[in-house]
Amino acid sequence: MKNIILVILFCTVYKTGIAQNYIPTLKNNTELHYVCKLHGQTRTLQLTAETADNALAFKLETRGVKSKIVMLPEAVKNGNTLSFNQGEYAPVLNLKPTETFFMISQSAYQDLVKNNSFVYNNTTYVLDKNEDKNGVSIDGKWIDALHVTAQIDETEMWIVKNPEYPLICKVTKNPLGINFTLVKVTE
């Protein structure tokens, strides 16, 4: 009897731990806080979401640099290129109709879910189905994310399981020297 109670208790605690996965949502004024590693330097980055007219923009703030990065509705839906712009070139930067910023497009996300891969920046990323030990945790909750690896180099990305706004919550081993991790979300 004691063993049965212990098994039930263990299962309850285990289920509660599994249920602690977190899927950040993106609404108007949601703040995303990242820690970025840029060519050996570390800096913090805050992105504040603006959603209007089917477009998505991020107000970017880092080390005194403030700008606004605007993604067109067609990019949010069908983009295939990730912009690594750091916001230093213009107070408002309108990305190309194919470019997204800190997220992949909805169609790329659908390809990932359906085909276990997607193509971005002419690179194929493949879903890693192994148990992930290096995901992203915020306030003790693991972000529910898909882990992908690039076919041509060692780049790894963790993409939030959110078909509307598939945010990239972590990038490592980027050959461009730009790696980042989501550390806080204020909704």
Side-chain angles (χ1 to χ4, degrees):
M1 184 68 173
K2 214 180 218 185
N3 288 341
I4 292 173
I5 292 172
L6 285 174
V7 168
I8 292 171
L9 181 63
F10 174 79
C11 289
T12 303
V13 169
Y14 179 77
K15 272 296 212 192
T16 303
I18 294 293
Q20 294 301 314
N21 282 355
Y22 169 56
I23 299 177
T25 57
L26 206 55
K27 301 176 218 162
N28 210 28
N29 295 319
T30 298
E31 292 179 3
L32 306 170
H33 300 265
Y34 286 89
V35 170
C36 301
K37 305 282 185 179
L38 305 166
H39 311 292
Q41 298 178 9
T42 301
R43 63 168 70 170
T44 59
L45 171 75
Q46 179 180 316
L47 301 175
T48 303
E50 284 186 352
T51 55
D53 302 324
N54 293 324
L56 174 62
F58 286 119
K59 289 181 185 174
L60 177 147
E61 191 173 329
T62 182
R63 282 192 172 176
V65 175
K66 294 182 181 182
S67 64
K68 183 175 176 178
I69 312 287
V70 180
M71 287 178 272
L72 297 172
E74 55 263 43
V76 172
K77 187 172 183 179
N78 293 312
N80 60 12
T81 306
L82 191 60
S83 171
F84 284 98
N85 187 286
Q86 297 172 32
E88 296 159 355
Y89 303 110
V92 176
L93 175 66
N94 292 299
L95 297 180
K96 297 175 186 171
T98 58
E99 289 182 315
T100 58
F101 187 70
F102 275 80
M103 64 178 280
I104 63 171
S105 66
Q106 295 164 348
S107 63
Y109 180 82
Q110 290 170 358
D111 286 346
L112 176 57
V113 171
K114 183 178 178 185
N115 304 318
N116 296 321
S117 68
F118 69 98
V119 177
Y120 236 66
N121 295 75
N122 294 317
T123 301
T124 301
Y125 291 89
V126 178
L127 181 65
D128 181 0
K129 294 182 181 179
N130 295 324
E131 186 175 322
D132 183 22
K133 304 277 189 217
N134 297 314
V136 178
S137 172
I138 296 176
D139 296 328
K141 297 178 186 175
W142 287 99
I143 293 180
D144 202 1
L146 299 168
H147 177 221
V148 299
T149 55
Q151 289 280 289
I152 62 170
D153 56 39
E154 296 180 356
T155 304
E156 295 181 80
M157 285 194 287
W158 286 259
I159 299 163
V160 175
K161 289 184 181 178
N162 180 341
E164 186 177 10
Y165 296 115
L167 294 169
I168 300 170
C169 58
K170 184 175 180 180
V171 173
T172 62
K173 302 177 188 171
N174 183 343
L176 298 175
I178 303 170
N179 297 302
F180 53 84
T181 303
L182 182 64
V183 295
K184 181 180 175 185
V185 177
T186 307
E187 295 179 20

